[in-house]
Amino acid sequence: MVDPIGAHRPGGTRRKPQPAPLSRLATRLAPLAPLGRRLKPAYPRPGRTGWRRWMPSWRQWLGAFALSIGLSGSLLVIAYAATDIPQNLNTYATQQDNVYFWADGTPMARTGWVRRQAMPLKDIPPDVRSAVLAAENESFYSDPGISVKGITRALVRTVGQGDTQGGSTITQQYVKNVYLNQNRSVSRKFTEAMISLKLDNKLSKDKILEGYLNTSWFGRGTYGLQRASQAYYGKDVSRLNASEGAFLASLLKGAGLYDPTLSEANHKRAVERWSWILDRMVKTGKLSASERATYTKFPEPLKQGRAFDTGKQSDYLVELATQYAKKAGHISDRDFDLGGYQIYTTFDRKREKTLTDTVTDARAKAKKDDPDKAKNAHYGAASIADDGRILAVYGGPDHRTQGYNESNATTVPAGSAFLPFVYAAGLQHGVHKTREGAATPVTPESVYDGNDGIPVSTPEGPYWDRSGKKVAAHNDGKKDHGQVTLRQALAASVNTPFMQLGMDTGLDKVRATAEASGLLSSSIGPQVPTLSLGNSTPSAIRMANAYATFAADGTHTEPYSVRRITRNGYRVTLDTPAPHRAMSAEVAREVTEALSDSFRTAHPGAATTTAQVAGKKGTTQDDKAAWYVGTNRDVSTAVVLYRIDLSKSLEPLPLEGIAGTPETDVPYGIWSGAMSPLR
């Protein structure tokens, strides 16, 4: 039998048996066996009884503790060395106000949902600083930037309950504000501590405190003490006293919980926190007991922060520019709220002042002459260049008391101020006296019946309303004008020819012409015969923009209020409206000439030789609105006046003479005053 291990090799030799791998390893480790026996603890331990036989000796305990301390220290040293202070601040720490500029480049307003204005520490009163230290970190100037006790408590809460409330020094809070996110986790807390230690070694305590006071959240859209002081007390931080500072310091614990204007529970918490902070200031020696005794009444903050900084007419401008900037610049609400945008508007500062002063004077006169009617009077006005730039608007007496913008409101009908669009549609498209066949051209010299009460006809006969009555047009005062040319009819504001012209041209073409000129489809009235008499409800901005189309030889550009936007030195891509042709240049010039006739007819003494002035009065048959819209050179202005008692209804009330007489026409007076810079 052949030995399976000692198998025969060629030539008759036999292979020597080899040791197994484990045997080889054991052989090599054999010299270390005595050392292993010395290191291995003997259990059960000799000389001990009971459970003590199984416990390590005190030397072993001491060695293990020393080893753990050494390892922990080494890990902390390595972590400290490996942690760098981030080079970039996070987005919330860089939130700023948005700055708006006039067309001439001068600042107009500074606004923003999150408002920030950094203040040097020296400009923050010592009592206010002390209130913050008493509330948040009284050992700030002596600690190393972290609180070991606080971090331990926070970590225990993180692991056990899922949050990290409490335990942060001011340095740690500043690090969290400007370098880290608001996530609550063990890793974020550890990173916060490492950066805080480094920052405390790198920056002075005053610099850290200054940064903290300028970046902390105080509610009402404010970051930093300066904006908080303005939002809650309407004054700069330099004017705060210790009592007011103590209240603002309480907001650092949670503005949503301590803003006393939000709820009764908040008010109670705020008062308790305010009193506790003042007492802490006395305990830490930062406030004398005698001065503390003078602060017995809680310093109630303002009920509501202002939407914009000024509360004046420029708030309406800011509102318009903000809406346009977000849409045309493709800026989200979140990004816009982060701020830092420089918004260069189209608003002309001189024109805005002139328009505002003119309307203000008219309001004051109306209030003096007829206070009852004047209290419900509303004035909207806008001036627009023929390239679409909004130059000035009058939105209302005060944005804080009247939040909606009168210049952009679609409230009342245009009335006879709509007639130029009917005239333009007829000149552009011609008329159809029959259903079949080509359109018949219309010229300014085409003659229509200008008498009052003329029934409106269609190719099939009279136009009947739903009640079975013939629809007829009426002139102002039901005056008969006989046979008149279209140009004469527009100059004299004769309604009946245009109601028939609208039917002959086609109401769809009238509507299309008005939309192409600048009126919004949503504001154009029902497609019935009265469309030609102005049942549409355009805004002052849109009416001015549409009349500017005539002055621009039929080229229309959508109105816009922002010409350029930058952020942190980089230009934001802006969708600027491009011009398009609304009607032929010849038609636009014919309309302008007729409007010039209208202006000269109504105001012969105001005619000028330096520029072509064209304009038209707008009235409604039910006396619900009064307009004046006109152009001079390359600028168009629209003014509307109406009455609404907002406490009862949104239905317009009769003007009852508040718009003046033909000799003292109020809308024209405002228009003339607003256009005076052009003369």
Side-chain angles (χ1 to χ4, degrees):
M1 181 180 291
V2 176
D3 185 351
I5 298 177
H8 291 290
R9 292 191 174 193
T13 62
R14 185 185 297 270
R15 185 173 64 183
K16 185 179 180 180
Q18 300 294 319
L22 291 178
S23 298
R24 292 198 300 271
L25 179 62
T27 301
R28 293 175 181 174
L29 294 179
L32 300 177
L35 178 61
R37 286 193 295 271
R38 288 196 297 270
L39 293 174
K40 181 179 178 181
Y43 289 104
R45 295 174 60 204
R48 300 288 189 272
T49 61
W51 59 271
R52 293 182 179 85
R53 296 182 302 160
W54 304 96
M55 294 298 294
S57 67
W58 66 270
R59 293 184 182 86
Q60 292 169 328
W61 277 116
L62 183 61
F65 178 74
L67 180 62
S68 65
I69 292 295
L71 288 174
S72 298
S74 298
L75 289 174
L76 288 175
V77 170
I78 293 172
Y80 180 84
T83 301
D84 293 324
I85 299 175
Q87 297 299 311
N88 298 319
L89 305 182
N90 66 36
T91 53
Y92 290 100
T94 58
Q95 287 178 316
Q96 306 168 56
D97 289 0
N98 293 314
V99 184
Y100 297 76
F101 298 89
W102 292 102
D104 63 5
T106 57
M108 184 180 78
R110 295 177 181 269
T111 67
W113 180 78
V114 176
R115 292 168 288 182
R116 184 198 306 282
Q117 182 181 347
M119 293 289 287
L121 191 65
K122 63 181 180 62
D123 292 337
I124 300 175
D127 283 346
V128 177
R129 285 181 260 163
S130 297
V132 172
L133 294 177
E136 295 296 306
N137 185 190
E138 64 184 44
S139 64
F140 169 72
Y141 277 98
S142 60
D143 65 38
I146 64 171
S147 168
V148 176
K149 179 180 178 181
I151 290 175
T152 303
R153 182 169 66 250
L155 291 176
V156 170
R157 292 181 63 87
T158 300
V159 174
Q161 301 181 25
D163 62 53
T164 58
Q165 295 177 357
S168 293
T169 64
I170 280 178
T171 305
Q172 289 174 263
Q173 292 182 56
Y174 176 61
V175 167
K176 180 177 66 175
N177 287 344
V178 302
Y179 295 121
L180 304 175
N181 56 42
Q182 302 298 313
N183 294 337
R184 295 174 174 177
S185 64
V186 173
S187 62
R188 203 273 293 156
K189 199 72 181 177
F190 184 79
T191 303
E192 173 190 300
M194 292 299 101
I195 296 176
S196 297
L197 286 170
K198 278 203 166 182
L199 197 68
D200 193 76
N201 287 329
K202 181 179 179 180
L203 299 180
S204 68
K205 288 289 190 179
D206 282 351
K207 200 66 179 176
I208 294 173
L209 180 60
E210 179 183 291
Y212 172 72
L213 295 178
N214 282 322
T215 57
S216 294
W217 165 253
F218 286 88
R220 294 193 182 182
T222 62
Y223 277 85
L225 266 176
Q226 168 68 353
R227 283 303 198 187
S229 178
Q230 293 170 342
Y232 289 93
Y233 290 111
K235 57 186 177 182
D236 286 346
V237 66
S238 60
R239 297 171 53 201
L240 293 176
N241 59 33
S243 177
E244 294 163 335
F247 163 69
L248 292 181
S250 71
L251 296 171
L252 292 167
K253 194 172 178 65
L257 295 174
Y258 291 90
D259 184 342
T261 65
L262 298 180
S263 67
E264 291 184 6
N266 271 25
H267 193 279
K268 181 179 179 181
R269 277 192 293 266
V271 172
E272 292 175 352
R273 181 75 173 168
W274 162 79
S275 181
W276 178 85
I277 291 173
L278 289 175
D279 290 342
R280 291 291 297 176
M281 292 175 69
V282 174
K283 183 177 180 180
T284 58
K286 300 299 183 181
L287 186 69
S288 67
S290 59
E291 186 177 359
R292 168 66 180 94
T294 64
Y295 298 130
T296 57
K297 184 178 179 180
F298 179 67
E300 300 286 352
L302 300 173
K303 294 292 184 183
Q304 184 179 5
R306 296 175 179 176
F308 300 121
D309 289 345
T310 64
K312 299 177 182 178
Q313 194 63 213
S314 61
D315 287 1
Y316 296 105
L317 306 182
V318 166
E319 181 183 59
L320 284 174
T322 299
Q323 293 170 351
Y324 186 84
K326 288 181 180 180
K327 182 178 180 180
H330 304 283
I331 303 171
S332 68
D333 289 342
R334 179 184 179 278
D335 286 345
F336 199 83
D337 289 345
L338 290 177
Y341 290 96
Q342 294 77 47
I343 302 164
Y344 297 87
T345 74
T346 61
F347 303 126
D348 185 301
R349 182 167 52 174
K350 293 181 179 178
R351 286 186 179 277
E352 180 63 35
K353 183 179 187 306
T354 300
L355 178 60
T356 301
D357 290 347
T358 304
V359 178
T360 302
D361 291 344
R363 295 180 69 100
K365 186 177 185 303
K367 187 175 182 180
K368 180 180 179 181
D369 294 343
D370 196 334
D372 290 337
K373 293 187 179 67
K375 67 182 180 181
N376 296 322
H378 297 266
Y379 302 73
S383 294
I384 297 184
D386 62 8
D387 61 1
R389 289 175 294 125
I390 302 176
L391 303 177
V393 301
Y394 181 85
D398 192 323
H399 191 276
R400 293 169 298 180
T401 57
Q402 179 179 293
Y404 67 94
N405 189 335
E406 295 281 13
S407 71
N408 207 27
T410 55
T411 309
V412 293
S416 55
F418 188 84
L419 299 184
F421 305 111
V422 186
Y423 185 44
L427 296 177
Q428 184 72 39
H429 300 286
V431 297
H432 290 268
K433 291 297 185 179
T434 63
R435 291 296 182 190
E436 294 79 20
T440 302
V442 169
T443 72
E445 302 306 318
S446 296
V447 177
Y448 272 76
D449 193 337
N451 289 326
D452 183 69
I454 299 298
V456 177
S457 64
T458 68
E460 288 79 21
Y463 186 94
W464 304 84
D465 63 17
R466 292 183 178 180
S467 63
K469 295 182 179 180
K470 292 181 181 180
V471 175
H474 293 280
N475 297 319
D476 288 347
K478 296 188 176 181
K479 183 179 178 181
D480 292 330
H481 293 269
Q483 298 295 302
V484 294
T485 66
L486 289 176
R487 180 167 176 166
Q488 290 171 337
L490 186 62
S493 196
V494 184
N495 292 336
T496 51
F498 291 101
M499 194 164 180
Q500 185 59 55
L501 178 63
M503 298 298 293
D504 295 343
T505 303
L507 296 178
D508 58 333
K509 292 182 175 62
V510 172
R511 181 188 186 97
T513 299
E515 290 183 17
S517 299
L519 299 192
L520 294 177
S521 175
S522 59
S523 70
I524 295 181
Q527 202 160 292
V528 295
T530 53
L531 172 67
S532 298
L533 298 187
N535 64 7
S536 302
T537 57
S539 67
I541 288 177
R542 285 290 171 173
M543 280 295 277
N545 179 238
Y547 268 58
T549 301
F550 302 134
D553 285 341
T555 299
H556 171 69
T557 305
E558 282 288 286
Y560 64 98
S561 56
V562 178
R563 57 188 176 84
R564 183 163 60 97
I565 302 175
T566 60
R567 191 185 197 192
N568 299 328
Y570 294 95
R571 191 158 185 164
V572 176
T573 301
L574 192 66
D575 293 339
T576 303
H580 71 269
R581 181 150 297 282
M583 63 193 70
S584 70
E586 182 180 359
V587 167
R589 285 193 288 268
E590 293 286 4
V591 175
T592 300
E593 288 178 7
L595 290 173
S596 296
D597 290 347
S598 176
F599 177 79
R600 287 190 294 268
T601 300
H603 310 284
T608 177
T609 59
T610 59
Q612 186 180 49
V613 180
K616 188 176 188 323
K617 181 178 181 178
T619 58
T620 60
Q621 293 183 12
D622 53 9
D623 192 36
K624 297 293 181 67
W627 291 80
Y628 198 89
V629 191
T631 61
N632 191 355
R633 299 180 185 174
D634 59 351
V635 175
S636 175
T637 295
V639 179
V640 61
L641 168 59
Y642 59 96
R643 294 178 61 231
I644 289 182
D645 186 349
L646 294 175
S647 64
K648 297 180 180 180
S649 171
L650 294 178
E651 180 65 26
L653 302 171
L655 291 172
E656 297 180 348
I658 197 171
T661 65
E663 293 75 23
T664 61
D665 184 61
V666 175
Y668 170 75
I670 295 173
W671 179 90
S672 179
M675 298 292 272
S676 61
L678 290 174
R679 295 182 180 174

